[in-house]
Amino acid sequence: MTEDERRAIEADCQRLINLYVNLNDAQDWEAVANLYTEDARFARPSKPDEFVEGRAAILEGFTSRPPRAQRHVIANTVVDVVDSDNARAFSVIVLYMGDAAASGELPKMNAKSPLVGSFTDKLVRTTEGWRFAERVGGLDFQP
């Protein structure tokens, strides 16, 4: 693998992670779920030992949550390329959240905000592009 190929994989994986955060904040759950492989595993930062397995179950997990106002900030992402079809990544995540507000109003921030944690990802190249094979969250501080 050339340095240019490695950098292209890193950029594609970084874009996947950023897209995930933006779609999550837009609460576009179908699009979020489609960023996972069919057999992916996902563990929320608040429950890092409880895996949801499979794209359909991941989608169900997101759609079953009550609506909330939220904004994720992702930083310090490092992508390590394993080979041309596999990569690993680590990112720091900050989540601001609150109750959904009336149209045209700003939401009030939840007393648990912000949450600070991380994601450790296994990423794979598929025919649809790079996808999450596994995404494991964790919290760094108690809310």
Side-chain angles (χ1 to χ4, degrees):
M1 173 181 319
T2 69
E3 282 298 303
D4 286 343
E5 289 169 330
R6 183 187 56 76
R7 281 192 291 273
I9 291 170
E10 289 173 352
D12 288 347
C13 291
Q14 176 72 55
R15 183 181 189 288
L16 173 69
I17 292 165
N18 290 340
L19 179 61
Y20 180 93
V21 169
N22 291 338
L23 293 171
N24 195 315
D25 285 344
Q27 299 182 28
D28 186 344
W29 305 131
E30 283 280 339
V32 169
N34 284 332
L35 298 180
Y36 286 92
T37 62
E38 284 291 334
D39 60 348
R41 294 168 25 113
F42 170 62
R44 294 181 184 282
S46 59
K47 297 179 180 178
D49 298 323
E50 290 183 26
F51 283 93
V52 178
E53 300 200 23
R55 184 186 288 166
I58 291 168
L59 175 60
E60 171 63 26
F62 280 114
T63 58
S64 66
R65 288 191 331 195
R68 69 179 183 197
Q70 62 184 27
R71 177 68 64 207
H72 293 81
V73 179
I74 195 132
N76 304 343
T77 301
V78 175
V79 176
D80 292 314
V81 177
V82 176
D83 58 37
S84 60
D85 294 321
N86 295 277
R88 295 182 183 276
F90 176 84
S91 304
V92 172
I93 188 112
V94 179
L95 170 60
Y96 298 91
M97 60 187 167
D99 294 328
S103 180
E105 293 185 25
L106 288 175
K108 291 189 170 120
M109 197 174 308
N110 184 303
K112 292 181 182 177
S113 260
L115 295 176
V116 179
S118 63
F119 276 110
T120 302
D121 301 314
K122 290 181 184 175
L123 309 163
V124 296
R125 187 191 313 256
T126 71
T127 57
E128 298 146 334
W130 286 91
R131 296 292 183 264
F132 295 100
E134 183 176 89
R135 181 149 243 238
V136 181
L139 293 177
D140 295 332
F141 299 94
Q142 292 183 16

